[in-house]
Amino acid sequence: AQSVSQHNHHVILSEAASLELGCNYSYGGTVNLFWYVQYPGQHLQLLLKYFSGDPLVKGIKGFEAEFIKSKFSFNLRKPSVQWSDTAEYFCAVNAMDSSYKLIFGSGTRLLVRP
Amino acid sequence: SQTIHQWPATLVQPVGSPLSLECTVEGTSNPNLYWYRQAAGRGLQLLFYSVGIGQISSEVPQNLSASRPQDRQFILSSKKLLLSDSGFYLCAWSPDRAGIVDGYTFGSGTRLTVV
């Protein structure tokens, strides 16, 4: 069965620091990859997605993620975080042979200190 | 545009009581529908999904059940709640096509506390 690992459960950064959140998945076939964000008190929102083409994808609010197939990874990055980026971030994988399901990681809580 | 409604937002129920959480989608037809449970530190666990009326797939053995009586309605139920059923339940939908290219759209969730 597919699984998704997010190794950083809690991350604390100061404003303007760079961010990288790790995401690894276990599945050898074709995948679609996603990062979701949940701001305090709000819905889960799609941050960015990858399904083909350029492995470096850009999302909203200056976030980007790089798909490295050989490492089964899809790490999320932002060069300079803001206080408003405080949220919980979830990586998710859709394996193409389980075409209806998204499997989520356990999430990373990011706290950005002003 | 498509919208998803989920209610109630919060619910406090005694152990042994029944449960019914409802989710409806507007502005689309034949959506794929999902129930997830979100627990702190454990991310989102897929409980059930449905690709059509009356078609329910269960992902984990549990005290809950799901039904899809209409195309855009998805219901999460229990006959007798357990303390361990407490959690945050999320409904989501995706377009009916192979592969989830656009991800899911999530509802606002229901916070269930079993006492």
PDB file of all heavy atoms in Angstrom, chain B residues 68-97:
ATOM      1  N   ARG B  68     -24.432   6.755   0.299  1.00  0.00           N
ATOM      2  CA  ARG B  68     -24.581   7.776  -0.735  1.00  0.00           C
ATOM      3  C   ARG B  68     -25.960   7.593  -1.362  1.00  0.00           C
ATOM      4  O   ARG B  68     -26.104   6.938  -2.387  1.00  0.00           O
ATOM      5  CB  ARG B  68     -23.487   7.668  -1.788  1.00  0.00           C
ATOM      6  CG  ARG B  68     -23.520   8.789  -2.818  1.00  0.00           C
ATOM      7  CD  ARG B  68     -22.271   8.772  -3.657  1.00  0.00           C
ATOM      8  NE  ARG B  68     -22.304   9.789  -4.705  1.00  0.00           N
ATOM      9  CZ  ARG B  68     -21.281  10.044  -5.504  1.00  0.00           C
ATOM     10  NH1 ARG B  68     -20.143   9.364  -5.375  1.00  0.00           N
ATOM     11  NH2 ARG B  68     -21.387  10.968  -6.436  1.00  0.00           N
ATOM     12  N   PRO B  69     -26.970   8.150  -0.726  1.00  0.00           N
ATOM     13  CA  PRO B  69     -28.335   7.956  -1.223  1.00  0.00           C
ATOM     14  C   PRO B  69     -28.656   8.754  -2.491  1.00  0.00           C
ATOM     15  O   PRO B  69     -29.552   8.366  -3.251  1.00  0.00           O
ATOM     16  CB  PRO B  69     -29.206   8.429  -0.053  1.00  0.00           C
ATOM     17  CG  PRO B  69     -28.328   9.385   0.691  1.00  0.00           C
ATOM     18  CD  PRO B  69     -26.931   8.897   0.518  1.00  0.00           C
ATOM     19  N   GLN B  70     -27.945   9.834  -2.702  1.00  0.00           N
ATOM     20  CA  GLN B  70     -28.134  10.654  -3.905  1.00  0.00           C
ATOM     21  C   GLN B  70     -26.770  10.992  -4.492  1.00  0.00           C
ATOM     22  O   GLN B  70     -25.749  10.871  -3.812  1.00  0.00           O
ATOM     23  CB  GLN B  70     -28.890  11.952  -3.563  1.00  0.00           C
ATOM     24  CG  GLN B  70     -30.268  11.733  -2.981  1.00  0.00           C
ATOM     25  CD  GLN B  70     -30.960  13.038  -2.645  1.00  0.00           C
ATOM     26  OE1 GLN B  70     -30.942  13.973  -3.448  1.00  0.00           O
ATOM     27  NE2 GLN B  70     -31.572  13.106  -1.476  1.00  0.00           N
ATOM     28  N   ASP B  71     -26.779  11.452  -5.728  1.00  0.00           N
ATOM     29  CA  ASP B  71     -25.529  11.675  -6.450  1.00  0.00           C
ATOM     30  C   ASP B  71     -24.568  12.595  -5.711  1.00  0.00           C
ATOM     31  O   ASP B  71     -23.361  12.385  -5.702  1.00  0.00           O
ATOM     32  CB  ASP B  71     -25.839  12.256  -7.838  1.00  0.00           C
ATOM     33  CG  ASP B  71     -24.582  12.500  -8.645  1.00  0.00           C
ATOM     34  OD1 ASP B  71     -23.695  11.615  -8.650  1.00  0.00           O
ATOM     35  OD2 ASP B  71     -24.473  13.558  -9.276  1.00  0.00           O
ATOM     36  N   ARG B  72     -25.120  13.647  -5.069  1.00  0.00           N
ATOM     37  CA  ARG B  72     -24.254  14.653  -4.463  1.00  0.00           C
ATOM     38  C   ARG B  72     -24.390  14.704  -2.952  1.00  0.00           C
ATOM     39  O   ARG B  72     -24.128  15.727  -2.336  1.00  0.00           O
ATOM     40  CB  ARG B  72     -24.560  16.025  -5.088  1.00  0.00           C
ATOM     41  CG  ARG B  72     -24.088  16.119  -6.528  1.00  0.00           C
ATOM     42  CD  ARG B  72     -24.633  17.341  -7.227  1.00  0.00           C
ATOM     43  NE  ARG B  72     -26.054  17.213  -7.506  1.00  0.00           N
ATOM     44  CZ  ARG B  72     -26.779  18.147  -8.114  1.00  0.00           C
ATOM     45  NH1 ARG B  72     -26.223  19.277  -8.475  1.00  0.00           N
ATOM     46  NH2 ARG B  72     -28.053  17.961  -8.331  1.00  0.00           N
ATOM     47  N   GLN B  73     -24.786  13.589  -2.351  1.00  0.00           N
ATOM     48  CA  GLN B  73     -24.965  13.521  -0.910  1.00  0.00           C
ATOM     49  C   GLN B  73     -24.187  12.335  -0.360  1.00  0.00           C
ATOM     50  O   GLN B  73     -24.304  11.210  -0.854  1.00  0.00           O
ATOM     51  CB  GLN B  73     -26.455  13.373  -0.578  1.00  0.00           C
ATOM     52  CG  GLN B  73     -26.762  13.386   0.897  1.00  0.00           C
ATOM     53  CD  GLN B  73     -28.234  13.127   1.175  1.00  0.00           C
ATOM     54  OE1 GLN B  73     -28.906  12.428   0.407  1.00  0.00           O
ATOM     55  NE2 GLN B  73     -28.747  13.681   2.249  1.00  0.00           N
ATOM     56  N   PHE B  74     -23.439  12.611   0.692  1.00  0.00           N
ATOM     57  CA  PHE B  74     -22.608  11.568   1.295  1.00  0.00           C
ATOM     58  C   PHE B  74     -22.789  11.659   2.800  1.00  0.00           C
ATOM     59  O   PHE B  74     -22.638  12.729   3.387  1.00  0.00           O
ATOM     60  CB  PHE B  74     -21.146  11.799   0.907  1.00  0.00           C
ATOM     61  CG  PHE B  74     -20.262  10.576   0.961  1.00  0.00           C
ATOM     62  CD1 PHE B  74     -20.772   9.294   0.808  1.00  0.00           C
ATOM     63  CD2 PHE B  74     -18.888  10.720   1.124  1.00  0.00           C
ATOM     64  CE1 PHE B  74     -19.947   8.180   0.826  1.00  0.00           C
ATOM     65  CE2 PHE B  74     -18.048   9.605   1.142  1.00  0.00           C
ATOM     66  CZ  PHE B  74     -18.585   8.341   0.996  1.00  0.00           C
ATOM     67  N   ILE B  75     -23.135  10.542   3.431  1.00  0.00           N
ATOM     68  CA  ILE B  75     -23.488  10.546   4.846  1.00  0.00           C
ATOM     69  C   ILE B  75     -22.567   9.598   5.602  1.00  0.00           C
ATOM     70  O   ILE B  75     -22.317   8.465   5.159  1.00  0.00           O
ATOM     71  CB  ILE B  75     -24.961  10.124   5.039  1.00  0.00           C
ATOM     72  CG1 ILE B  75     -25.872  11.157   4.359  1.00  0.00           C
ATOM     73  CG2 ILE B  75     -25.300  10.000   6.518  1.00  0.00           C
ATOM     74  CD1 ILE B  75     -27.327  10.746   4.320  1.00  0.00           C
ATOM     75  N   LEU B  76     -22.081  10.065   6.739  1.00  0.00           N
ATOM     76  CA  LEU B  76     -21.271   9.250   7.643  1.00  0.00           C
ATOM     77  C   LEU B  76     -22.105   8.932   8.865  1.00  0.00           C
ATOM     78  O   LEU B  76     -22.684   9.834   9.468  1.00  0.00           O
ATOM     79  CB  LEU B  76     -20.007  10.006   8.042  1.00  0.00           C
ATOM     80  CG  LEU B  76     -18.992   9.253   8.895  1.00  0.00           C
ATOM     81  CD1 LEU B  76     -18.344   8.135   8.094  1.00  0.00           C
ATOM     82  CD2 LEU B  76     -17.918  10.203   9.412  1.00  0.00           C
ATOM     83  N   SER B  77     -22.161   7.659   9.232  1.00  0.00           N
ATOM     84  CA  SER B  77     -23.072   7.240  10.295  1.00  0.00           C
ATOM     85  C   SER B  77     -22.399   6.290  11.267  1.00  0.00           C
ATOM     86  O   SER B  77     -21.380   5.674  10.969  1.00  0.00           O
ATOM     87  CB  SER B  77     -24.285   6.510   9.703  1.00  0.00           C
ATOM     88  OG  SER B  77     -24.940   7.288   8.751  1.00  0.00           O
ATOM     89  N   SER B  78     -23.044   6.194  12.416  1.00  0.00           N
ATOM     90  CA  SER B  78     -22.710   5.152  13.368  1.00  0.00           C
ATOM     91  C   SER B  78     -23.982   4.805  14.140  1.00  0.00           C
ATOM     92  O   SER B  78     -24.793   5.688  14.435  1.00  0.00           O
ATOM     93  CB  SER B  78     -21.625   5.613  14.336  1.00  0.00           C
ATOM     94  OG  SER B  78     -21.417   4.645  15.345  1.00  0.00           O
ATOM     95  N   LYS B  79     -24.126   3.547  14.482  1.00  0.00           N
ATOM     96  CA  LYS B  79     -25.278   3.142  15.286  1.00  0.00           C
ATOM     97  C   LYS B  79     -25.025   3.410  16.764  1.00  0.00           C
ATOM     98  O   LYS B  79     -25.926   3.782  17.511  1.00  0.00           O
ATOM     99  CB  LYS B  79     -25.581   1.661  15.068  1.00  0.00           C
ATOM    100  CG  LYS B  79     -26.078   1.349  13.671  1.00  0.00           C
ATOM    101  CD  LYS B  79     -26.394  -0.125  13.516  1.00  0.00           C
ATOM    102  CE  LYS B  79     -26.909  -0.408  12.112  1.00  0.00           C
ATOM    103  NZ  LYS B  79     -27.169  -1.854  11.905  1.00  0.00           N
ATOM    104  N   LYS B  80     -23.759   3.215  17.183  1.00  0.00           N
ATOM    105  CA  LYS B  80     -23.398   3.430  18.587  1.00  0.00           C
ATOM    106  C   LYS B  80     -21.989   3.998  18.650  1.00  0.00           C
ATOM    107  O   LYS B  80     -21.020   3.294  18.376  1.00  0.00           O
ATOM    108  CB  LYS B  80     -23.442   2.118  19.374  1.00  0.00           C
ATOM    109  CG  LYS B  80     -24.825   1.559  19.616  1.00  0.00           C
ATOM    110  CD  LYS B  80     -24.748   0.342  20.537  1.00  0.00           C
ATOM    111  CE  LYS B  80     -26.143  -0.192  20.822  1.00  0.00           C
ATOM    112  NZ  LYS B  80     -26.103  -1.360  21.752  1.00  0.00           N
ATOM    113  N   LEU B  81     -21.887   5.242  19.059  1.00  0.00           N
ATOM    114  CA  LEU B  81     -20.587   5.891  19.096  1.00  0.00           C
ATOM    115  C   LEU B  81     -19.713   5.361  20.232  1.00  0.00           C
ATOM    116  O   LEU B  81     -20.196   5.030  21.316  1.00  0.00           O
ATOM    117  CB  LEU B  81     -20.753   7.401  19.254  1.00  0.00           C
ATOM    118  CG  LEU B  81     -21.162   8.174  17.997  1.00  0.00           C
ATOM    119  CD1 LEU B  81     -21.574   9.581  18.368  1.00  0.00           C
ATOM    120  CD2 LEU B  81     -20.048   8.166  16.979  1.00  0.00           C
ATOM    121  N   LEU B  82     -18.411   5.327  19.934  1.00  0.00           N
ATOM    122  CA  LEU B  82     -17.399   4.993  20.929  1.00  0.00           C
ATOM    123  C   LEU B  82     -16.588   6.251  21.234  1.00  0.00           C
ATOM    124  O   LEU B  82     -16.540   7.183  20.432  1.00  0.00           O
ATOM    125  CB  LEU B  82     -16.455   3.909  20.378  1.00  0.00           C
ATOM    126  CG  LEU B  82     -17.091   2.628  19.860  1.00  0.00           C
ATOM    127  CD1 LEU B  82     -16.039   1.767  19.171  1.00  0.00           C
ATOM    128  CD2 LEU B  82     -17.773   1.872  20.983  1.00  0.00           C
ATOM    129  N   LEU B  83     -15.930   6.237  22.399  1.00  0.00           N
ATOM    130  CA  LEU B  83     -15.073   7.368  22.733  1.00  0.00           C
ATOM    131  C   LEU B  83     -14.019   7.599  21.647  1.00  0.00           C
ATOM    132  O   LEU B  83     -13.682   8.740  21.315  1.00  0.00           O
ATOM    133  CB  LEU B  83     -14.386   7.145  24.075  1.00  0.00           C
ATOM    134  CG  LEU B  83     -15.246   7.299  25.316  1.00  0.00           C
ATOM    135  CD1 LEU B  83     -14.454   6.885  26.561  1.00  0.00           C
ATOM    136  CD2 LEU B  83     -15.757   8.730  25.481  1.00  0.00           C
ATOM    137  N   SER B  84     -13.519   6.512  21.088  1.00  0.00           N
ATOM    138  CA  SER B  84     -12.456   6.598  20.082  1.00  0.00           C
ATOM    139  C   SER B  84     -12.933   7.183  18.765  1.00  0.00           C
ATOM    140  O   SER B  84     -12.114   7.439  17.868  1.00  0.00           O
ATOM    141  CB  SER B  84     -11.852   5.211  19.851  1.00  0.00           C
ATOM    142  OG  SER B  84     -12.858   4.311  19.427  1.00  0.00           O
ATOM    143  N   ASP B  85     -14.230   7.408  18.614  1.00  0.00           N
ATOM    144  CA  ASP B  85     -14.740   8.024  17.392  1.00  0.00           C
ATOM    145  C   ASP B  85     -14.588   9.546  17.408  1.00  0.00           C
ATOM    146  O   ASP B  85     -14.819  10.203  16.389  1.00  0.00           O
ATOM    147  CB  ASP B  85     -16.217   7.674  17.186  1.00  0.00           C
ATOM    148  CG  ASP B  85     -16.421   6.200  16.861  1.00  0.00           C
ATOM    149  OD1 ASP B  85     -15.564   5.620  16.159  1.00  0.00           O
ATOM    150  OD2 ASP B  85     -17.427   5.633  17.334  1.00  0.00           O
ATOM    151  N   SER B  86     -14.193  10.088  18.546  1.00  0.00           N
ATOM    152  CA  SER B  86     -13.982  11.541  18.616  1.00  0.00           C
ATOM    153  C   SER B  86     -12.915  11.954  17.607  1.00  0.00           C
ATOM    154  O   SER B  86     -11.923  11.252  17.413  1.00  0.00           O
ATOM    155  CB  SER B  86     -13.530  11.943  20.018  1.00  0.00           C
ATOM    156  OG  SER B  86     -14.553  11.737  20.953  1.00  0.00           O
ATOM    157  N   GLY B  87     -13.130  13.099  16.984  1.00  0.00           N
ATOM    158  CA  GLY B  87     -12.150  13.575  16.018  1.00  0.00           C
ATOM    159  C   GLY B  87     -12.730  14.639  15.116  1.00  0.00           C
ATOM    160  O   GLY B  87     -13.853  15.108  15.321  1.00  0.00           O
ATOM    161  N   PHE B  88     -11.967  14.999  14.122  1.00  0.00           N
ATOM    162  CA  PHE B  88     -12.373  16.013  13.163  1.00  0.00           C
ATOM    163  C   PHE B  88     -12.596  15.313  11.831  1.00  0.00           C
ATOM    164  O   PHE B  88     -11.677  14.697  11.292  1.00  0.00           O
ATOM    165  CB  PHE B  88     -11.277  17.081  13.057  1.00  0.00           C
ATOM    166  CG  PHE B  88     -11.675  18.287  12.269  1.00  0.00           C
ATOM    167  CD1 PHE B  88     -12.763  19.051  12.650  1.00  0.00           C
ATOM    168  CD2 PHE B  88     -10.949  18.679  11.162  1.00  0.00           C
ATOM    169  CE1 PHE B  88     -13.135  20.189  11.937  1.00  0.00           C
ATOM    170  CE2 PHE B  88     -11.307  19.815  10.436  1.00  0.00           C
ATOM    171  CZ  PHE B  88     -12.408  20.569  10.830  1.00  0.00           C
ATOM    172  N   TYR B  89     -13.822  15.385  11.334  1.00  0.00           N
ATOM    173  CA  TYR B  89     -14.210  14.651  10.139  1.00  0.00           C
ATOM    174  C   TYR B  89     -14.359  15.609   8.969  1.00  0.00           C
ATOM    175  O   TYR B  89     -15.042  16.640   9.059  1.00  0.00           O
ATOM    176  CB  TYR B  89     -15.521  13.893  10.377  1.00  0.00           C
ATOM    177  CG  TYR B  89     -15.341  12.752  11.343  1.00  0.00           C
ATOM    178  CD1 TYR B  89     -15.416  12.967  12.723  1.00  0.00           C
ATOM    179  CD2 TYR B  89     -15.052  11.470  10.887  1.00  0.00           C
ATOM    180  CE1 TYR B  89     -15.217  11.924  13.616  1.00  0.00           C
ATOM    181  CE2 TYR B  89     -14.857  10.425  11.773  1.00  0.00           C
ATOM    182  CZ  TYR B  89     -14.939  10.660  13.132  1.00  0.00           C
ATOM    183  OH  TYR B  89     -14.735   9.630  14.017  1.00  0.00           O
ATOM    184  N   LEU B  90     -13.734  15.236   7.875  1.00  0.00           N
ATOM    185  CA  LEU B  90     -13.735  16.073   6.689  1.00  0.00           C
ATOM    186  C   LEU B  90     -14.343  15.332   5.515  1.00  0.00           C
ATOM    187  O   LEU B  90     -14.013  14.171   5.266  1.00  0.00           O
ATOM    188  CB  LEU B  90     -12.304  16.476   6.312  1.00  0.00           C
ATOM    189  CG  LEU B  90     -11.645  17.537   7.187  1.00  0.00           C
ATOM    190  CD1 LEU B  90     -10.147  17.540   6.968  1.00  0.00           C
ATOM    191  CD2 LEU B  90     -12.216  18.906   6.876  1.00  0.00           C
ATOM    192  N   CYS B  91     -15.199  16.018   4.805  1.00  0.00           N
ATOM    193  CA  CYS B  91     -15.745  15.514   3.562  1.00  0.00           C
ATOM    194  C   CYS B  91     -15.003  16.202   2.412  1.00  0.00           C
ATOM    195  O   CYS B  91     -14.580  17.361   2.538  1.00  0.00           O
ATOM    196  CB  CYS B  91     -17.240  15.831   3.488  1.00  0.00           C
ATOM    197  SG  CYS B  91     -18.062  15.247   2.001  1.00  0.00           S
ATOM    198  N   ALA B  92     -14.834  15.506   1.316  1.00  0.00           N
ATOM    199  CA  ALA B  92     -14.159  16.096   0.157  1.00  0.00           C
ATOM    200  C   ALA B  92     -14.762  15.527  -1.124  1.00  0.00           C
ATOM    201  O   ALA B  92     -15.392  14.475  -1.113  1.00  0.00           O
ATOM    202  CB  ALA B  92     -12.657  15.808   0.206  1.00  0.00           C
ATOM    203  N   TRP B  93     -14.539  16.251  -2.229  1.00  0.00           N
ATOM    204  CA  TRP B  93     -14.987  15.740  -3.518  1.00  0.00           C
ATOM    205  C   TRP B  93     -13.902  15.994  -4.565  1.00  0.00           C
ATOM    206  O   TRP B  93     -13.048  16.866  -4.423  1.00  0.00           O
ATOM    207  CB  TRP B  93     -16.308  16.380  -3.948  1.00  0.00           C
ATOM    208  CG  TRP B  93     -16.193  17.770  -4.508  1.00  0.00           C
ATOM    209  CD1 TRP B  93     -16.184  18.925  -3.799  1.00  0.00           C
ATOM    210  CD2 TRP B  93     -16.079  18.124  -5.891  1.00  0.00           C
ATOM    211  NE1 TRP B  93     -16.062  19.996  -4.666  1.00  0.00           N
ATOM    212  CE2 TRP B  93     -16.003  19.548  -5.942  1.00  0.00           C
ATOM    213  CE3 TRP B  93     -16.033  17.389  -7.071  1.00  0.00           C
ATOM    214  CZ2 TRP B  93     -15.887  20.236  -7.145  1.00  0.00           C
ATOM    215  CZ3 TRP B  93     -15.919  18.071  -8.267  1.00  0.00           C
ATOM    216  CH2 TRP B  93     -15.841  19.481  -8.297  1.00  0.00           C
ATOM    217  N   SER B  94     -13.949  15.169  -5.608  1.00  0.00           N
ATOM    218  CA  SER B  94     -13.089  15.389  -6.760  1.00  0.00           C
ATOM    219  C   SER B  94     -13.882  15.056  -8.012  1.00  0.00           C
ATOM    220  O   SER B  94     -14.864  14.313  -7.943  1.00  0.00           O
ATOM    221  CB  SER B  94     -11.818  14.539  -6.674  1.00  0.00           C
ATOM    222  OG  SER B  94     -12.120  13.162  -6.809  1.00  0.00           O
ATOM    223  N   PRO B  95     -13.498  15.618  -9.150  1.00  0.00           N
ATOM    224  CA  PRO B  95     -14.222  15.312 -10.395  1.00  0.00           C
ATOM    225  C   PRO B  95     -14.109  13.834 -10.740  1.00  0.00           C
ATOM    226  O   PRO B  95     -13.152  13.156 -10.358  1.00  0.00           O
ATOM    227  CB  PRO B  95     -13.512  16.175 -11.439  1.00  0.00           C
ATOM    228  CG  PRO B  95     -12.835  17.247 -10.664  1.00  0.00           C
ATOM    229  CD  PRO B  95     -12.461  16.626  -9.355  1.00  0.00           C
ATOM    230  N   ASP B  96     -15.108  13.343 -11.457  1.00  0.00           N
ATOM    231  CA  ASP B  96     -15.141  11.942 -11.830  1.00  0.00           C
ATOM    232  C   ASP B  96     -14.247  11.690 -13.034  1.00  0.00           C
ATOM    233  O   ASP B  96     -14.679  11.779 -14.166  1.00  0.00           O
ATOM    234  CB  ASP B  96     -16.584  11.526 -12.147  1.00  0.00           C
ATOM    235  CG  ASP B  96     -16.663  10.099 -12.668  1.00  0.00           C
ATOM    236  OD1 ASP B  96     -15.813   9.282 -12.250  1.00  0.00           O
ATOM    237  OD2 ASP B  96     -17.544   9.813 -13.485  1.00  0.00           O
ATOM    238  N   ARG B  97     -12.976  11.444 -12.750  1.00  0.00           N
ATOM    239  CA  ARG B  97     -12.092  11.025 -13.833  1.00  0.00           C
ATOM    240  C   ARG B  97     -10.932  10.275 -13.205  1.00  0.00           C
ATOM    241  O   ARG B  97     -10.625  10.450 -12.029  1.00  0.00           O
ATOM    242  CB  ARG B  97     -11.588  12.213 -14.643  1.00  0.00           C
ATOM    243  CG  ARG B  97     -10.864  13.274 -13.852  1.00  0.00           C
ATOM    244  CD  ARG B  97     -10.185  14.254 -14.776  1.00  0.00           C
ATOM    245  NE  ARG B  97      -9.602  15.355 -14.055  1.00  0.00           N
ATOM    246  CZ  ARG B  97     -10.100  16.587 -14.051  1.00  0.00           C
ATOM    247  NH1 ARG B  97     -11.187  16.867 -14.728  1.00  0.00           N
ATOM    248  NH2 ARG B  97      -9.505  17.550 -13.394  1.00  0.00           N
TER     249      ARG B  97
END
